Amino acid sequence: MDCKTVYSVCGMCAVRCPIVVEVEDGRVRRIAGNPHAPAKGGLCAKGAAGIAFEEDDERPQGPLLRDGPRGAGKWRPVSWDEALDHVAERLKACMDRHGPQTLLWADRDGPFKDLPRAFMRGLGSPNVCTHSPACDLNVHHACKAVTGHGRGDLVLDYDHCRHLVLQSRNVFEALNVAEANKVLGAMGKGCRLTVIDVRPTVTAAKAHDFLRVLPGSDYALNLAVIHVLIRDGLYDREYVAANTTGFERLAAATASCTPAWAEAQTGVQASEIEKLCRDLASAAPHVIWHPGWMASRYRQSFQVSRTAQVITALLGGVGRKGGMVEPRDEGLKALKSLCDCYPEPAVPRADGVGKDFPAFDTNRGLIQRALLAMESGRPYPLKACIAWRHDPLQSLPDPAAVKRALAALDLFVSVTFSWSDTAWHADVVLPLSPYLSRESIIGEHGGFKPHFFLRRRAIQPRFDTRADWEIIGGLAARLGLDRLVFDKVEDLWRFQLEGTGLTPEAFDATGIVELADAPMRPAEDAPLSFLTPSGKVELDSAGWEAKTGVDMLPPYAPPPSPPPGALRLTFGRMALHTHGHTMNNPMLARLCPEGPAWIHPETAAGLGLASGDRVEVLNARGECAGSGGILLSEGVHPEAVFLVHGFGHRLPCESRAFGKGVADQELICDGLLQEDPGGGGLALQEAWVTLRKVESAGAKACGVAGG
Ligand SMILES: Nc1nc2c(c(=O)[nH]1)N[C@H]1C(S)=C(S)[C@@H](COP(=O)(O)OP(=O)(O)OC[C@H]3O[C@@H](n4cnc5c(=O)[nH]c(N)nc54)[C@H](O)[C@@H]3O)O[C@H]1N2
Ligand SMILES: Nc1nc2c(c(=O)[nH]1)N[C@H]1C(S)=C(S)[C@@H](COP(=O)(O)OP(=O)(O)OC[C@H]3O[C@@H](n4cnc5c(=O)[nH]c(N)nc54)[C@H](O)[C@@H]3O)O[C@H]1N2
Ligand code: SF4
Ligand SMILES: [Mo]
């Protein structure tokens, strides 16, 4: 028997945990967390389902060209040469006519982005947009607005935290395995946990305190917390005087935001707010009010994340042990960037980022605005789009609106390892090998234990699929970008490692190369450094305000109320699935074929619903987005319905996911136009829904009918 052990990187979700893969006779027998990883990792259920995914036949098995109208699902299998020739020729024709900027690269982002970005630079298009406006853009920009550092640049120092507040952050189900372990470790050492959510999650069940809020009212709660900290002198005066600006403005803006006022807005009792403030002050400065992750929910979600960090700062936790800490920077080894092979394109972006939105990050863009530009042809035509392991038709609101924009394209390519609505709607599908059968470029990880990490191919692909670098290399060769063409992946890795003194063999032993001998914790008395214009924590985000022209201390604006009979839409993740691309996984589909609609028992009773019933979920236009069971819980806010994102598939090629559950993206009407002015994130939950009982078990619900 031929056995080997391969260190690699999980690809079942965007967290990319380090793994070790045991291979027997060319088949994966076992996957486990890489025991050598700098952060205590492990494997979640989705990671364990990687083997089932690899062995699944219901995925694109070779390159496909569309052979009928878009979305009709008629395909012509072709060779890689034919597919890449086709894409290169069509792309050249678009670029000859409209300039290279006519290509939009829609990317799921992550640590392997250097190669696709270099490709776009080489062609001369600035239009790389990520999924971020539907995920963490508000958080990223709020971090920049308060400290100048981007999301993730400051380490959340759970090891020394004494009170952690998780607001709209479900750390034990919306997983980053290493982070979940850190939070458990902190709680084991006595860290207090407060959870603020609209429903009782697993994380809430483990918390010392659970505050249930009206969906979309968190900003009011945070303003009241700031009010109490200032009113009662519970904030760290010395820290605030030495390290912050904008305190007077903050105090004035929150002067009327009493706990009684917040109780009326949020439903959280004033006494609970007062208690939380005292608890926090007694743990200060070892306090983290988590800035959030998926914060594309309301038009004031940016402010929720901004004020979360302001509260941590008022308690002295920003820059300090047990709070949000900047790792030491000692000029460690860095990878050579492929992007440096080509100059940055000078032409402005179609989404306006960098010009109309000078504060926003050009590495992320505003994909919703790029799509609107695609539809209108202004400021210039976007005629080609490559969706790179990204599913805009599922991840952006209102798929009908997204399709209207995509109709303007002459070429739409999906590079993907599973079927998705986006792949189904594309002109060309270029199938990526699943992560167990492909390599990726070397990735870099920062934090206290900075390291390089490598995804190695554990097995050969079962079908005619290719790795990222092979696909981009194939296109680059046809488009004259010779510097991105590598015969062997080792040559590409060697290019990245130039100047570091390392070779690819350095990854053989553990899959990881640590860059520092000791954790990069700053000395306790090290001066704090922030990247804002003032060099301090800007409690009023004056620098961001000057650049965006958006008021950084706006009064609370309650989220729009649903009409009588309708409920507020809320959604999120569950531990057994990743977004929309694991619903057809043979193992995970068996464990969890559909996510139920969570509602309060009294709400259910008012709608004539009882445990065991099934419902169809309709959007504000009265269109049905699928059906599912209901889960009754006293902890859910009575005005809300909670859905797990990613269900409601209608692709005939996905037999296990077909017709199961609800497609929450279809419930968000006009969503492409709803964004937070401060952070650019989409307001995906500013939508309401109605529930309709499925009358008999045998009746065909709309999701099943494929409507
Ligand atoms: N298992 C699993 N883990 C994942 C992922 C996955 O797909 N599956 N995806 C990864 C990604 S890309 C991301 S961005 C993260 C997301 O990580 P999180 O942001 O933590 O995850 P979510 O489940 O989207 O949302 C967290 C909570 O917000 C609550 N919520 C909804 N509306 C409101 C509100 O108005 N106020 C408050 N206070 N709470 C509200 C929801 O009930 C939910 O429990 O998860 C990552 N980890
Ligand atoms: N209505 C609604 N919209 C949402 C959300 C929501 O909760 N509700 N959540 C938002 C969030 S937090 C995010 S991050 C986005 C997600 O945005 P998506 O683009 O949906 O992200 P993924 O599910 O990661 O999808 C990646 C696609 O790339 C393909 N793929 C190819 N190779 C790989 C690989 O190696 N790994 C992975 N993981 N995928 C690969 C997958 O098959 C899949 O089709 O959606 C956002 N949009
Ligand atoms: S959280 Fe789970 S699915 Fe995501 S990378 Fe880690 S092990 Fe894989
Ligand atoms: Mo996300």
Side-chain angles (χ1 to χ4, degrees):
M1 193 183 289
D2 180 22
C3 299
K4 63 175 180 176
T5 299
V6 183
Y7 291 103
S8 195
V9 179
C10 183
M12 289 297 283
C13 86
V15 172
R16 299 182 184 82
C17 297
I19 54 173
V20 55
V21 186
E22 288 172 19
V23 181
E24 260 176 37
D25 290 333
R27 293 187 70 183
V28 176
R29 288 288 165 219
R30 183 168 173 266
I31 311 175
N34 181 347
H36 307 289
K40 192 175 157 204
L43 203 67
C44 77
K46 297 170 290 148
I51 303 177
F53 178 60
E54 184 66 51
E55 295 185 349
D56 185 10
D57 291 355
E58 290 191 0
R59 54 186 166 97
Q61 300 185 4
L64 298 168
L65 297 190
R66 179 163 65 81
D67 202 19
R70 272 200 186 129
K74 287 197 169 173
W75 301 101
R76 185 161 64 88
V78 292
S79 68
W80 273 98
D81 272 342
E82 188 176 344
L84 294 172
D85 284 347
H86 178 92
V87 172
E89 276 161 27
R90 298 278 292 273
L91 199 51
K92 259 193 241 160
C94 288
M95 294 192 305
D96 285 349
R97 198 139 170 239
H98 304 287
Q101 65 276 11
T102 202
L103 174 61
L104 170 70
W105 190 277
D107 199 318
R108 181 58 175 77
D109 211 6
F112 309 125
K113 56 172 154 269
D114 196 34
L115 184 57
R117 279 162 202 242
F119 178 78
M120 286 294 276
R121 272 200 185 202
L123 292 180
S125 175
N127 291 314
V128 178
C129 284
T130 73
H131 71 298
S132 188
C135 174
D136 63 348
L137 192 64
N138 281 328
V139 177
H140 178 59
H141 284 157
C143 291
K144 284 182 169 277
V146 177
T147 65
H149 294 278
R151 175 179 165 241
D153 292 347
L154 299 186
V155 177
L156 303 183
D157 187 13
Y158 297 118
D159 288 350
H160 301 98
C161 181
R162 290 183 50 217
H163 194 148
L164 171 64
V165 179
L166 296 174
Q167 179 171 38
S168 186
R169 175 77 189 90
N170 185 8
V171 86
F172 297 133
E173 292 178 277
L175 286 166
N176 171 326
V177 178
E179 186 183 34
N181 285 336
K182 286 240 175 242
V183 173
L184 283 176
M187 290 176 74
K189 287 190 275 183
C191 175
R192 196 172 178 84
L193 177 65
T194 299
V195 166
I196 305 166
D197 205 300
V198 297
R199 65 182 180 122
T201 58
V202 169
T203 311
K206 295 196 183 304
H208 298 87
D209 294 301
F210 169 46
L211 308 185
R212 193 196 63 196
V213 288
L214 171 79
S217 68
D218 296 79
Y219 180 43
L221 179 77
N222 295 9
L223 290 173
V225 168
I226 295 170
H227 171 95
V228 175
L229 294 179
I230 296 176
R231 182 198 69 193
D232 294 355
L234 295 172
Y235 66 97
D236 186 332
R237 280 169 202 276
E238 220 175 288
Y239 175 95
V240 165
N243 300 299
T244 73
T245 59
F247 180 80
E248 297 305 328
R249 258 185 93 196
L250 180 74
T254 52
S256 59
C257 303
T258 61
W261 165 80
E263 177 175 330
Q265 305 298 331
T266 64
V268 178
Q269 285 178 14
S271 57
E272 289 182 279
I273 299 174
E274 303 266 5
K275 176 181 170 302
L276 173 61
C277 294
R278 287 193 303 276
D279 287 348
L280 286 170
S282 70
H286 310 293
V287 169
I288 302 170
W289 190 299
H290 197 294
W293 192 347
M294 197 295 185
S296 298
R297 298 187 188 269
Y298 299 95
R299 269 175 263 223
Q300 287 191 326
S301 289
F302 165 86
Q303 282 297 341
V304 178
S305 181
R306 201 191 83 76
T307 47
Q309 297 168 72
V310 164
I311 294 167
T312 306
L314 287 174
L315 294 160
V318 177
R320 291 251 200 81
K321 188 174 167 182
M324 301 170 68
V325 188
E326 187 188 3
R328 263 184 5 240
D329 177 12
E330 281 175 5
L332 296 171
K333 292 185 180 98
L335 295 173
K336 186 169 149 187
S337 172
L338 292 149
C339 280
D340 291 342
C341 295
Y342 301 102
E344 203 176 331
V347 52
R349 297 173 56 98
D351 60 10
V353 176
K355 189 166 160 269
D356 306 334
F357 304 95
F360 289 2
D361 191 341
T362 50
N363 283 314
R364 296 177 180 235
L366 293 171
I367 188 161
Q368 67 274 26
R369 289 190 174 252
L371 286 170
L372 296 171
M374 189 182 281
E375 190 176 0
S376 69
R378 289 190 305 274
Y380 50 74
L382 290 172
K383 289 288 177 188
C385 174
I386 298 182
W388 180 255
R389 47 170 311 274
H390 181 27
D391 186 0
L393 273 171
Q394 179 146 51
S395 61
L396 292 173
D398 197 354
V402 178
K403 281 185 188 164
R404 271 201 305 279
L406 297 175
L409 291 174
D410 291 338
L411 175 67
F412 185 31
V413 181
S414 166
V415 184
T416 179
F417 72 1
S418 63
W419 277 113
S420 65
D421 289 350
T422 296
W424 199 249
H425 199 72
D427 303 332
V428 185
V429 176
L430 299 180
L432 200 55
S433 301
Y435 62 97
L436 292 169
S437 48
R438 75 169 193 255
E439 312 83 358
S440 297
I441 64 170
I442 303 171
E444 281 173 286
H445 200 288
F448 290 150
K449 294 181 178 173
H451 55 275
F452 295 155
F453 60 96
L454 189 64
R455 171 181 281 152
R456 277 194 196 278
R457 187 184 295 227
I459 53 170
Q460 290 307 322
R462 288 180 57 226
F463 302 120
D464 191 15
T465 58
R466 288 198 177 168
D468 339 22
W469 64 276
E470 293 171 315
I471 297 175
I472 289 190
L475 289 174
R478 286 164 173 81
L479 293 162
L481 302 178
D482 296 346
R483 302 186 71 178
L484 303 181
V485 183
F486 297 90
D487 290 338
K488 298 196 299 285
V489 74
E490 287 77 13
D491 295 344
L492 168 49
W493 292 339
R494 268 190 210 100
F495 173 99
Q496 291 186 277
L497 291 171
E498 260 173 46
T500 65
L502 297 168
T503 61
E505 290 71 39
F507 294 86
D508 286 351
T510 63
I512 280 160
V513 173
E514 294 210 44
L515 302 176
D517 297 333
M520 303 293 283
R521 282 192 164 277
E524 297 224 7
D525 56 354
L528 304 185
S529 89
F530 301 104
L531 304 177
T532 49
S534 63
K536 301 202 172 187
V537 173
E538 297 194 349
L539 299 174
D540 61 352
S541 296
W544 195 259
E545 185 170 274
K547 263 185 135 181
T548 56
V550 176
D551 180 6
M552 285 292 121
L553 293 161
Y556 169 66
S561 289
L567 297 171
R568 295 171 192 268
L569 172 67
T570 70
F571 49 70
R573 269 124 279 286
M574 69 184 304
L576 285 175
H577 282 292
T578 303
H579 302 291
H581 73 76
T582 53
M583 281 62 197
N584 201 50
N585 180 291
M587 180 175 147
L588 299 173
R590 203 170 55 240
L591 290 172
C592 178
E594 69 179 21
W598 294 45
I599 39 175
H600 193 280
E602 280 170 22
T603 310
L607 296 168
L609 296 169
S611 189
D613 282 345
R614 290 182 66 77
V615 291
E616 293 176 339
V617 184
L618 288 77
N619 67 18
R621 293 194 287 248
E623 297 156 346
C624 177
S627 62
I630 55 172
L631 187 154
L632 302 184
S633 165
E634 298 278 348
V636 182
H637 195 281
E639 293 180 28
V641 59
F642 174 85
L643 298 166
V644 177
H645 173 57
F647 287 96
H649 289 214
R650 297 197 182 104
L651 302 182
C653 55
E654 295 185 310
S655 68
R656 302 168 213 107
F658 184 81
K660 307 241 173 71
V662 179
D664 59 335
Q665 70 278 11
E666 293 176 11
L667 297 168
I668 313 159
C669 304
D670 301 325
L672 279 183
L673 302 167
Q674 293 175 185
E675 67 185 14
D676 188 314
L682 287 159
L684 297 177
Q685 285 188 180
E686 291 199 6
W688 50 81
V689 301
T690 48
L691 304 183
R692 192 163 65 194
K693 187 169 163 181
V694 178
E695 282 305 340
S696 79
K700 254 190 172 185
C702 64
V704 182

